[in-house]
Amino acid sequence: MFDLEESPGNIMDMTEGNSLHKSKHDTGSVGNTDDGQKYDSGGVSYDFSCIYSKDLLPAEDGEEATKHFLQELVNILMAHVSKSIKRSSKVLDFHHPHQLKEGLEGFNLELSDQPENLEQILVDCRDTLKYGVKTGHPRFFNQLSTGLDIIGLAGEWLTSTANTNMFTYEISPVFVLMEEVVLRKMHTIIGWKEEDGDGIFCPGGSMSNLYSVLLARFHLFPAVKTHGMSAIPHLALFTSAHSHYSIKKAAAVLGIGSENVVLIRCDERGKMLPSELNARINEAKIKGLVPFYVNATAGTTVYGAFDPLNEIADISEHHGLWMHVDHSRAHSVTWNPHKMMCVPLQCSAILVKKKGLLQECNQLCAEYLFQPDKHYDVSYDTGDKSIQCGRHVDIFKLWLMWKAKKKSQLAHPLQGSEGFEAQVNHCLENSEYLYYKLKRRTDFQLVFKGKVAPKIKAKMMEEGFAMISYQPLEDKVNFFRCVFSNPATQREDIDFLLDEIVRLGSEL
Amino acid sequence: MFDLEESPGNIMDMTEGNSLHKSKHDTGSVGNTDDGQKYDSGGVSYDFSCIYSKDLLPAEDGEEATKHFLQELVNILMAHVSKSIKRSSKVLDFHHPHQLKEGLEGFNLELSDQPENLEQILVDCRDTLKYGVKTGHPRFFNQLSTGLDIIGLAGEWLTSTANTNMFTYEISPVFVLMEEVVLRKMHTIIGWKEEDGDGIFCPGGSMSNLYSVLLARFHLFPAVKTHGMSAIPHLALFTSAHSHYSIKKAAAVLGIGSENVVLIRCDERGKMLPSELNARINEAKIKGLVPFYVNATAGTTVYGAFDPLNEIADISEHHGLWMHVDHSRAHSVTWNPHKMMCVPLQCSAILVKKKGLLQECNQLCAEYLFQPDKHYDVSYDTGDKSIQCGRHVDIFKLWLMWKAKKKSQLAHPLQGSEGFEAQVNHCLENSEYLYYKLKRRTDFQLVFKGKVAPKIKAKMMEEGFAMISYQPLEDKVNFFRCVFSNPATQREDIDFLLDEIVRLGSEL
């Protein structure tokens, strides 16, 4: 266990000098921040060493202890947020699995049979953050989501405190309506008509993609819901060779079979070739398969390539296929605000052009949950639209961020994050800047055969000052892939990254 | 919009008298708590009316504003928690969808094109809680999860702040290892051997059940992953007529077809009849279907009935079927700590007896995420086991609660919540007490034909002092279903509930 007696200071006090705590037992500090920085908490603090979780609410006299405990936690979290944003701090403090499992400086992952006091619980919280990865750090370029939006964070804290579920209006009246408001806004942005459109937030982009394949299959062959795949023809679906693996996964899960996903060849920039798509659809038909779905990718995983959406839409319409993509001519769209919009994880929506289809495809009308004889408009019991039963409230943080940001053309991309548009533009400008710098550097011109990128990344993780991803693709050996979604990242961080790669590479 | 000038007091100050805020602009209050209670914030407060989300971190000088903003939010959340627990406050302040959409006392769900200042954002947060349902209230008896565990809440706040994903060890080292530790503990409790067992946390019980059907199908017919359902025989699966609808939903989603789910008759207490199970399996075989899976329910949704697990296990073994349930002889188990263990939503695990099967069934080895040439033990990149890609961190709150509670036989069920065991016992004792009281009351002996329960529930929601669920089942008309998972609920709340039902019923 961490020896608290040896701690040189107090956990950061948010008020920087003003005491947050009425002294119950003036026993001094709870612990120090992980870099040993001292914060003045006014010399008094609440004694967590002799109280336990049972002393918190709903215990009869638990209110004061609860307040102090949550306040101390917030101090730890706030210190983490402040530190995460600082370029002088490490992105990660890397340890191998066996090292973390053995226990580091008293941080013990194992569960014993005795309850820990709240002092130890707070130390555990601090250590969990210490040995984790600071995904909000300006030099975290790794996949997939980076940055920490404070309004989004506030939204998540409130959501956890509300501790409810999205399945019915009766237990989530506000959140259910917020989902409706935000989905309608998203439909407008895609370009669907006011009267069109349906959708649901679900746990991640892969699940959204699974929903799209599920809906397309049901739309064309509604018998599949009750009779199963044996009652319908052999299906084929189409996606680019550079698309996300979740389409294949969906086909495997849904009983279509991953080999019935036809991967369409791309050009050298990673865009699907429409002529290839058309040829492969015809080929599948000749083989006796029934093409029913095409996924066009607007931003591939590795190159960030955009498939030619209109040409693909023409082909889909010609063959009567369901088109899934981020595009107004599509039948369905996966939209992940937890990516470039920097909404805290997780936040993903499946948007469906045809109203009522989600309900028709997924409803089973369980009468113990979705009673039709309630005293309010039960069309707001949206739970039966989903393939889940309970559903996490992912909407509030997005709604709150949208309220706080709004559309704004005014803010300069580098001056702030007002408006999602400015925020996304800032990310795009970062990637242009990276491209500009790379073109001008001679030390980045060659991709050596071998394992350069993994070795540089390994050294980078061990040193912990930046983090980036890599992978091979087709004929290319491992190369770096840089992700920008963090508003905190500035040009100096990109310069730092390039210099680090060169420095670490030259030491190989 | 809510008129802030007319607010009679300040949002609750957690320190009750000590100022949390250095005065930036001493403009007074942000708003009042929703019941008009006044809290002394020392007469000074931070001015949120002229700062916006762009003034928070990562803005250059955003640290102070961020601290004050999050502090004010925590004050609002803490006031909500304190109030939720109080019997004198309402469980809900009911409004119909159209009323909430029209905007109540300035609470506006619509998104305009101008950014709101942080004062408005805080007011929105307060109003969201005000018009929501207090699921942690001791008199919330509605399905499904109730109560608010403070340690679990702390865990969720930390998880949101860490803002990362479970797909690889590199971005979630601590959380990935915690998942391993907790899953191992769960396997031991089920009664599986140390070397057995695998599992993954996923978004809810319905998804866990879907995983179990998916794994059973793959285990018996691995060709289904690539070739699809057309390459394997017609399947049939079995579950009790009283089981959760997610089994049927899983069959529909996976392409098996909901009509191939055979519902087995139950006895009058809701337990599956083993002789019926055996007969229906044989019947399915005669029809040319291939039985492959049986779901035994340990605690049905409505009656809370436990199927006879050993007899079902015998039959399953005899026919070579995959058995899914909460039982050591099962092949897989769905375990939802977000139910009776009172872990904040969502927290659900699918546990699988056969090691490696989850990986084999779901992996697609996307090399842009799960590179095999990383510098650490890549078996900890657990993301490819799931049907999702990104995966929300649901493990930390459970791990932290487990650390804080532990197994403890000592605490009396009514004296505190030390130990999950004591907590669950308290819920069971509440239900026994309800049964005891009902038996002694003459005014509860009849279930009238008609719509009594919906009408009483409607009146109860409109008054807002308690909340309970109802449904019909088979030959029974609508009846109340009372859920206990909230440690805050005491006998007096049960007495209150019964009196309320009688009072509201007598007014019909």
Side-chain angles (χ1 to χ4, degrees):
Chain A
M1 290 297 183
F2 190 73
D3 186 352
L4 292 163
E5 296 311 303
E6 285 182 17
S7 302
N10 293 320
I11 285 175
M12 182 181 176
D13 185 322
M14 278 181 63
T15 59
E16 297 179 325
N18 294 329
S19 169
L20 286 173
H21 306 140
K22 285 198 283 191
S23 178
K24 188 175 168 191
H25 303 284
D26 190 352
T27 55
S29 63
V30 171
N32 64 322
T33 57
D34 57 5
D35 55 355
Q37 252 183 290
K38 285 191 188 186
Y39 295 94
D40 179 13
S41 72
V44 288
S45 76
Y46 200 83
D47 183 6
F48 297 105
S49 68
C50 57
I51 61 171
Y52 290 81
S53 69
K54 68 179 168 43
D55 299 311
L56 301 172
L57 287 174
E60 196 88 337
D61 55 351
E63 191 158 334
E64 211 197 344
T66 303
K67 284 179 185 174
H68 286 286
F69 172 71
L70 287 177
Q71 184 63 56
E72 199 59 53
L73 175 82
V74 168
N75 295 347
I76 293 169
L77 299 181
M78 187 60 215
H80 172 79
V81 172
S82 297
K83 203 179 164 187
S84 292
I85 225 80
K86 286 200 177 72
R87 291 178 174 80
S88 56
S89 67
K90 280 187 170 191
V91 176
L92 76 160
D93 182 9
F94 181 76
H95 298 279
H96 283 279
H98 68 91
Q99 294 172 311
L100 264 174
K101 282 166 82 174
E102 283 156 12
L104 287 168
E105 297 175 73
F107 182 45
N108 186 358
L109 294 171
E110 291 299 326
L111 301 163
S112 77
D113 277 342
Q114 292 310 307
E116 310 277 12
N117 60 40
L118 295 186
E119 182 160 307
Q120 183 58 43
I121 292 295
L122 288 165
V123 169
D124 285 337
C125 286
R126 199 202 59 192
D127 287 350
T128 296
L129 293 169
K130 178 179 173 182
Y131 296 112
V133 173
K134 295 188 183 72
T135 56
H137 194 287
R139 289 171 184 166
F140 179 89
F141 301 103
N142 217 64
Q143 84 264 53
L144 200 51
S145 301
T146 83
L148 181 66
D149 186 278
I150 301 296
I151 302 287
L153 179 64
E156 273 290 82
W157 287 7
L158 185 142
T159 299
S160 322
T161 310
N163 193 32
T164 192
N165 209 315
M166 293 291 282
F167 48 56
T168 57
Y169 179 80
E170 71 185 67
I171 60 158
S172 273
V174 181
F175 298 132
V176 162
L177 293 180
M178 280 175 179
E179 190 172 51
E180 188 192 47
V181 166
V182 173
L183 285 172
R184 217 187 315 118
K185 196 89 180 174
M186 292 169 98
H187 296 153
T188 316
I189 291 172
I190 290 171
W192 290 347
K193 282 186 224 132
E194 188 73 40
E195 66 275 16
D196 281 349
D198 203 344
I200 203 156
F201 280 77
C202 67
S206 288
M207 291 302 292
S208 291
N209 286 343
L210 185 145
Y211 267 102
S212 73
V213 181
L214 179 68
L215 288 164
R217 182 178 68 177
F218 175 78
H219 178 62
L220 294 168
F221 303 102
V224 75
K225 185 177 174 184
T226 43
H227 303 324
M229 292 290 289
S230 59
I232 68 169
H234 288 197
L235 302 177
L237 54 159
F238 304 82
T239 188
S240 109
H242 285 216
S243 68
H244 192 261
Y245 72 91
S246 52
I247 300 294
K248 229 179 193 170
K249 202 163 244 190
V253 169
L254 299 172
I256 296 166
S258 56
E259 72 181 5
N260 296 315
V261 178
V262 183
L263 299 179
I264 308 297
R265 217 153 48 86
C266 297
D267 67 14
E268 73 291 349
R269 300 294 298 272
K271 290 167 188 282
M272 191 201 285
L273 292 164
S275 56
E276 280 283 321
L277 172 64
N278 202 42
R280 301 301 297 273
I281 291 172
N282 288 326
E283 204 178 288
K285 284 180 176 172
I286 291 164
K287 280 187 192 160
L289 294 165
V290 175
F292 79 110
Y293 172 102
V294 60
N295 171 62
T297 309
T300 60
T301 315
V302 179
Y303 286 171
F306 278 64
D307 286 340
L309 303 179
N310 277 319
E311 285 164 85
I312 293 171
D314 289 341
I315 295 169
S316 302
E317 275 167 23
H318 174 71
H319 291 281
L321 273 51
W322 181 284
M323 180 177 172
H324 173 71
V325 75
D326 187 357
H327 193 242
S328 63
R329 285 178 68 190
H331 297 83
S332 60
V333 167
T334 291
W335 182 336
N336 293 334
H338 64 212
K339 286 179 183 157
M340 233 177 184
M341 284 166 76
C342 209
V343 177
L345 291 161
Q346 58 196 34
C347 192
S348 173
I350 172 74
L351 306 170
V352 188
K353 198 166 188 175
K354 191 177 178 222
K355 243 186 190 154
L357 191 65
L358 259 175
Q359 182 79 14
E360 212 186 325
C361 174
N362 292 322
Q363 74 180 358
L364 285 174
C365 303
E367 56 189 8
Y368 44 83
L369 198 50
F370 309 113
Q371 302 96 327
D373 50 1
K374 286 178 179 170
H375 68 124
Y376 58 82
D377 178 354
V378 293
S379 73
Y380 286 97
D381 287 355
T382 50
D384 220 11
K385 282 186 183 180
S386 79
I387 61 169
Q388 303 162 247
C389 175
R391 201 156 51 88
H392 191 257
V393 178
D394 293 330
I395 188 63
F396 181 69
K397 56 197 167 190
L398 173 58
W399 179 84
L400 199 66
M401 281 175 72
W402 213 312
K403 272 234 161 182
K405 285 177 195 281
K406 304 295 164 54
K407 194 175 173 176
S408 167
Q409 312 271 10
L410 300 172
H412 186 274
L414 293 180
Q415 275 175 344
S417 59
E418 193 179 15
F420 284 121
E421 189 175 327
Q423 196 172 306
V424 170
N425 284 342
H426 173 60
C427 293
L428 294 177
E429 202 166 287
N430 271 341
S431 72
E432 275 167 26
Y433 177 73
L434 174 65
Y435 179 70
Y436 169 87
K437 292 291 283 213
L438 277 174
K439 275 204 302 191
R440 273 151 195 79
R441 289 182 77 137
T442 53
D443 44 1
F444 269 87
Q445 284 182 331
L446 288 169
V447 177
F448 294 102
K449 287 243 178 227
K451 301 199 169 186
V452 177
K455 281 183 187 161
I456 290 176
K457 169 157 182 166
K459 290 181 88 172
M460 197 186 278
M461 280 184 76
E462 274 151 20
E463 295 199 5
F465 295 109
M467 210 166 159
I468 188 171
S469 186
Y470 69 87
Q471 68 285 304
L473 191 73
E474 291 170 349
D475 59 332
K476 290 174 191 67
V477 296
N478 278 312
F479 56 88
F480 288 111
R481 173 159 69 103
C482 193
V483 175
F484 295 111
S485 71
N486 187 348
T489 297
Q490 302 294 353
R491 292 180 168 197
E492 63 176 286
D493 302 306
I494 298 166
D495 292 337
F496 177 86
L497 174 72
L498 296 177
D499 290 339
E500 274 295 275
I501 292 175
V502 170
R503 183 179 69 79
L504 296 168
S506 69
E507 287 172 9
L508 287 181
Chain B
M1 288 298 182
F2 191 73
D3 186 355
L4 292 165
E5 295 312 304
E6 283 179 20
S7 303
N10 292 321
I11 285 176
M12 181 181 175
D13 186 321
M14 275 180 65
T15 59
E16 297 180 326
N18 294 328
S19 170
L20 287 171
H21 305 141
K22 283 198 288 191
S23 178
K24 188 176 169 187
H25 303 287
D26 190 351
T27 55
S29 65
V30 171
N32 63 323
T33 57
D34 56 7
D35 55 357
Q37 252 183 293
K38 283 191 188 185
Y39 295 92
D40 178 14
S41 72
V44 289
S45 75
Y46 202 83
D47 184 6
F48 297 105
S49 69
C50 59
I51 61 171
Y52 291 81
S53 69
K54 67 177 169 43
D55 299 312
L56 301 172
L57 287 174
E60 196 87 340
D61 54 353
E63 193 159 333
E64 210 196 346
T66 302
K67 283 179 187 175
H68 286 286
F69 171 72
L70 288 178
Q71 184 63 56
E72 200 61 51
L73 174 82
V74 168
N75 295 347
I76 293 168
L77 300 181
M78 187 59 216
H80 171 79
V81 172
S82 296
K83 204 180 163 188
S84 291
I85 224 80
K86 286 200 177 72
R87 289 177 176 82
S88 57
S89 67
K90 280 187 171 192
V91 178
L92 76 161
D93 183 10
F94 182 76
H95 299 279
H96 283 279
H98 68 91
Q99 295 172 311
L100 264 175
K101 282 166 82 173
E102 282 157 12
L104 288 167
E105 296 175 74
F107 182 45
N108 187 357
L109 294 172
E110 290 299 325
L111 301 163
S112 78
D113 277 341
Q114 292 310 307
E116 310 278 10
N117 60 41
L118 295 187
E119 182 159 307
Q120 184 58 44
I121 292 295
L122 288 166
V123 169
D124 285 337
C125 286
R126 198 202 58 192
D127 288 351
T128 297
L129 292 170
K130 178 179 173 181
Y131 296 111
V133 173
K134 295 187 184 73
T135 56
H137 195 287
R139 289 170 184 167
F140 179 89
F141 301 102
N142 217 64
Q143 83 262 56
L144 201 53
S145 300
T146 82
L148 182 65
D149 185 278
I150 302 297
I151 301 287
L153 179 65
E156 272 291 83
W157 287 7
L158 184 143
T159 298
S160 323
T161 310
N163 194 33
T164 191
N165 210 314
M166 291 293 281
F167 47 57
T168 56
Y169 179 81
E170 71 185 65
I171 60 157
S172 274
V174 181
F175 299 131
V176 162
L177 293 181
M178 280 174 179
E179 189 170 52
E180 187 192 47
V181 166
V182 174
L183 285 172
R184 217 187 313 121
K185 196 90 178 171
M186 293 168 98
H187 295 153
T188 314
I189 291 171
I190 290 170
W192 290 347
K193 283 186 223 130
E194 188 70 44
E195 65 275 15
D196 281 348
D198 203 345
I200 203 157
F201 280 77
C202 67
S206 288
M207 291 303 290
S208 290
N209 285 343
L210 186 144
Y211 267 102
S212 73
V213 181
L214 178 68
L215 288 165
R217 182 178 69 178
F218 175 77
H219 177 61
L220 294 167
F221 304 102
V224 75
K225 185 176 173 183
T226 43
H227 302 325
M229 292 290 288
S230 59
I232 67 169
H234 288 197
L235 302 177
L237 55 160
F238 304 82
T239 189
S240 110
H242 285 216
S243 68
H244 191 259
Y245 71 91
S246 52
I247 300 293
K248 228 177 194 172
K249 202 162 245 189
V253 169
L254 299 172
I256 296 167
S258 58
E259 72 180 5
N260 296 314
V261 178
V262 183
L263 299 179
I264 308 298
R265 217 154 49 85
C266 296
D267 65 17
E268 74 290 349
R269 299 295 297 273
K271 291 168 188 282
M272 189 200 286
L273 293 164
S275 55
E276 280 283 321
L277 172 64
N278 200 42
R280 302 301 295 274
I281 291 172
N282 287 326
E283 202 179 290
K285 283 180 176 174
I286 290 164
K287 280 187 192 160
L289 294 165
V290 175
F292 79 111
Y293 173 101
V294 60
N295 171 62
T297 309
T300 60
T301 315
V302 180
Y303 286 170
F306 277 63
D307 286 340
L309 304 178
N310 276 318
E311 286 163 84
I312 293 172
D314 289 341
I315 295 168
S316 302
E317 274 166 24
H318 173 72
H319 291 281
L321 272 54
W322 181 284
M323 178 177 172
H324 173 71
V325 74
D326 186 357
H327 194 244
S328 62
R329 285 178 67 189
H331 297 84
S332 61
V333 167
T334 291
W335 183 335
N336 293 334
H338 64 212
K339 287 180 182 158
M340 235 179 184
M341 285 165 75
C342 208
V343 178
L345 290 159
Q346 60 198 31
C347 192
S348 173
I350 170 74
L351 306 172
V352 188
K353 198 166 187 176
K354 192 179 177 219
K355 242 185 191 156
L357 190 67
L358 260 174
Q359 182 77 13
E360 212 186 327
C361 174
N362 291 322
Q363 73 180 359
L364 285 174
C365 303
E367 56 189 7
Y368 44 82
L369 198 49
F370 308 113
Q371 304 94 327
D373 49 2
K374 287 177 179 172
H375 68 124
Y376 58 81
D377 178 354
V378 293
S379 73
Y380 286 97
D381 287 357
T382 51
D384 219 11
K385 282 185 183 181
S386 80
I387 63 170
Q388 304 163 247
C389 176
R391 201 157 52 89
H392 191 258
V393 178
D394 293 330
I395 188 62
F396 180 70
K397 55 197 168 191
L398 173 58
W399 179 85
L400 198 67
M401 281 175 73
W402 214 312
K403 272 235 163 184
K405 286 177 194 283
K406 302 296 164 58
K407 192 174 176 179
S408 167
Q409 312 272 10
L410 300 173
H412 187 274
L414 293 179
Q415 276 176 344
S417 61
E418 194 180 12
F420 283 121
E421 188 176 330
Q423 197 172 306
V424 170
N425 284 343
H426 174 60
C427 294
L428 294 177
E429 202 167 287
N430 271 340
S431 72
E432 276 166 25
Y433 177 73
L434 174 64
Y435 178 70
Y436 169 87
K437 293 289 284 213
L438 278 173
K439 274 203 304 188
R440 273 149 197 79
R441 288 182 78 137
T442 53
D443 44 2
F444 269 89
Q445 282 182 333
L446 288 169
V447 178
F448 294 104
K449 288 240 179 229
K451 301 201 169 188
V452 177
K455 280 184 186 159
I456 291 176
K457 171 158 181 164
K459 290 180 88 171
M460 197 186 280
M461 280 184 75
E462 273 151 20
E463 296 199 6
F465 295 110
M467 209 166 161
I468 187 171
S469 187
Y470 69 86
Q471 67 284 305
L473 192 73
E474 293 172 348
D475 59 333
K476 292 174 191 62
V477 297
N478 278 312
F479 56 88
F480 288 112
R481 174 159 66 104
C482 192
V483 175
F484 296 111
S485 71
N486 187 348
T489 297
Q490 301 295 351
R491 291 179 167 196
E492 63 174 287
D493 303 306
I494 298 166
D495 292 338
F496 178 86
L497 174 72
L498 295 178
D499 290 340
E500 274 295 275
I501 292 175
V502 170
R503 184 179 67 80
L504 296 167
S506 68
E507 288 170 8
L508 285 181

